Amino acid sequence: MIKGLLRCVVAIIFILSGFVKAVDLVGFSFKMEEYFEPAVFNMPFFVKFALAFSIIVVVLELLLGLMLLLKLKLKFTLSALIALCIFFGFLTFYSAYYNVVTDCGCFGDAIKFTPWESFVKDIILLTGLIILVLLYRKEFNENIDQSKSNNKSKSLALGIFSGIMIFVMAQGIMNEPLIDFRDYKIGTDLAAEKAKIAKSPSEYKTFYSLKNTKTGEVLKINQDDYINQTKYWEDGSPWKIEEGKNESVLVKQGYKSEISKFKIEDPTGIDLTPQIISAPKAVLVFSYHPKDVSKDLLEKVEAKVNSDKTAVIYGISTMPDTFKTIKNAMMDGTAIKTIARSNPFVLILEEGKIVDKQPAKNYID
């Protein structure tokens, strides 16, 4: 009873984790890209294979999770899941310890974990898997015999499940996720979200790294204590701030929303965001990798949006001259990726509310 319950719980966690990533494979691949960046593992060559790696990881999570749920090839399944868990544990520990990838995307955008929370989750799962190995070790050989008579129904279930997941993953890659877990889902009121962020902002304090030039002692002290205690900055003080070692630390979490990164500027740096989210209608064409977009597609998209004479129209990318017949604006590439996964894509706002969002290739059809 207990081992069956534990097996089901662990299996369902892996299936759910795989499912939310399968829905948004492109989003998960962006997380994988972060691990290949110079600041983390410094393997830029693998960035172009991030989507392929993401597919492999998600397929393993889904299939192995279902196999565990069905008690199919139990010895192999548990061994493979342990290896997968160790791999994830290494990544999350590295992220947490070196503070490099702040969100591993373990449950996509559905559930946000800090790196340390993700690492603890991996350790708990690994412990559960090891316990299952101990509880089921006597049944490994029996499981082989049982699978001969039971294999057809389990294989059928695995096949149906695989077919559904292939459809879900293909939809997310070619278009947009079937289920949108992001803050930018259709129906989101950007103006209202901006107001909530402004009403409840996060608070940070600077912590200085001070070194005593006489004793060599080093200490961390927050900005308030530094100002209030004159011994740290008065004339003749042996305490000196170590340049480059100061830290900004979150002391109060405000209203959390990715909408805080929604800031659109013209090529000269003027903030266009208030104008755009207050307009009766705004049609925005986004591209996070403008160099990868064909000129023919851009021409067709621009022609289509220009036909709407009632809307404020902007082309927004990471470069100031991407668009030829509509006004250019700029936005951080990572922030653009957060809004939608297609490159390019079209976002339509009405008084700051998202009413439509689709890949540009679908928009022009």
Side-chain angles (χ1 to χ4, degrees), residues 12-29 31 54 57-59 61-62 88 103-113 121 161 165 168-169 172-173 176-182 341:
I12 289 170
I13 290 173
F14 275 103
I15 292 170
L16 288 177
S17 174
F19 176 76
V20 294
K21 290 198 283 283
V23 168
D24 187 11
L25 264 174
V26 176
F28 181 52
S29 73
K31 290 297 177 186
S54 301
V57 169
V58 170
V59 167
E61 272 194 298
L62 289 169
F88 280 136
D103 176 14
C104 72
C106 299
F107 283 89
D109 287 297
I111 305 173
K112 297 287 188 180
F113 282 108
K121 180 263 299 177
F161 179 76
M165 287 300 100
V168 169
M169 290 188 287
I173 293 172
E176 283 287 305
L178 281 173
I179 305 172
D180 197 345
F181 294 109
R182 292 162 293 179
R341 306 310 190 197

Side-chain angles (χ1 to χ4, degrees), residues 103-131:
D103 176 14
C104 72
C106 299
F107 283 89
D109 287 297
I111 305 173
K112 297 287 188 180
F113 282 108
T114 66
W116 281 120
E117 288 171 345
S118 297
F119 176 67
V120 170
K121 180 263 299 177
D122 290 331
I123 294 300
I124 292 172
L125 279 177
L126 182 59
T127 303
L129 289 167
I130 292 171
I131 292 172

Side-chain angles (χ1 to χ4, degrees), residues 140-172:
F140 286 158
N141 292 332
E142 293 176 21
N143 188 254
I144 294 173
D145 296 331
Q146 291 171 3
S147 67
K148 292 176 183 178
S149 60
N150 223 357
N151 229 14
K152 283 189 178 180
S153 59
K154 291 182 178 181
S155 297
L156 179 62
L158 199 61
I160 294 172
F161 179 76
S162 299
I164 294 171
M165 287 300 100
I166 289 171
F167 171 76
V168 169
M169 290 188 287
Q171 173 69 24

Side-chain angles (χ1 to χ4, degrees), residues 6 56 77 82 92 167 169 189 199 204 209 231-232 263 272 279-280 300 312 326 331 341 349:
L6 178 61
I56 292 170
T77 300
I82 287 173
T92 53
F167 171 76
M169 290 188 287
D189 189 329
K199 187 176 180 180
Y204 294 84
S209 177
K231 66 178 181 179
Y232 293 123
K263 184 178 182 182
L272 303 170
K300 290 178 179 178
V312 171
I326 58 178
M331 192 174 186
R341 306 310 190 197
L349 306 176

